[in-house]
């Protein structure tokens, strides 16, 4: 991840495998990510064994923040989890639940994977606990099949000005809400499950 604004660190260990590429056995490393990508790298050189493209992504709207204009998108294998969501995808047990979810999604900045945090709120999907997290993956050398446990958690992320944060409603703890104080910045980062 270039200039990680999302907490998309690599949460699990890489998996060492041998794969067949163009009829030749290659010692490789498989790295599953929170974003739902699986990177396949040459174990000796660290170079990708399949094309990886620098892809333009949404830019930060926070004054003074310069987000990376691109992120790395492996072209193969395909993502192992859904990487975008819209208000039309809203789910709930009842019509009321679905409407609340749809209404909330419509208020958030949502420009796909790598939508930056915003003072107006933005969608974080997959969430920092989404995609492949601590569980990593398993690999069957006989079939060449990688099995990845994937989580499709949707959260909102909001940057709240630090000034006046203490004592505000935003500062109150509640279930499904994480607060990161981000010392040295003018903002507090709040993530909530949707």
């Amino acid at each position: 991840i270039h200039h990680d604004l999302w907490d998309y660190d690599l949460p699990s260990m890489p998996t060492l495998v041998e794969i067949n590429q163009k009829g030749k056995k290659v010692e490789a490393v498989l790295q599953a990510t929170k974003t739902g990508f699986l990177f396949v790298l040459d174990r000796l050189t660290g170079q990708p064994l399949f094309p990886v493209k620098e892809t333009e992504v949404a830019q930060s709207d926070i004054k003074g923040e310069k987000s990376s204009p691109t992120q790395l998108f492996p072209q193969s294998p395909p993502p192992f989890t859904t990487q975008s969501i819209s208000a039309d995808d809203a789910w709930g047990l009842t019509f009321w639940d679905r409407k609340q979810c749809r209404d909330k999604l419509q208020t958030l900045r949502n420009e796909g994977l790598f939508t930056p945090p915003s003072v107006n709120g933005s969608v974080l999907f997959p969430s920092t606990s989404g995609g492949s997290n601590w569980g990593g993956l398993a690999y069957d050398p006989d079939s060449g099949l990688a099995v990845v446990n994937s989580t499709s958690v949707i959260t909102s992320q909001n940057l709240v000005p630090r000034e006046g944060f203490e004592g505000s409603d935003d500062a109150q703890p509640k279930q499904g809400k994480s607060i990161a104080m981000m010392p040295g910045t003018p903002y507090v980062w709040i993530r909530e499950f949707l």
Side-chain angles (χ1 to χ4, degrees), residues 100-119:
Q100 267 206 301
C101 185
R102 187 178 301 115
D103 291 349
K104 177 68 175 177
L105 280 167
Q106 288 175 332
T107 67
L108 299 170
R109 183 175 177 190
N110 185 6
E111 298 171 56
L113 188 59
F114 300 112
T115 300
S118 170
V119 293

Side-chain angles (χ1 to χ4, degrees), residues 165-184:
F165 178 75
E166 295 296 327
S168 72
D169 286 343
D170 287 328
Q172 303 309 309
K174 83 176 195 188
Q175 187 173 357
K177 177 180 180 180
S178 302
I179 300 172
M181 295 306 290
M182 300 193 327

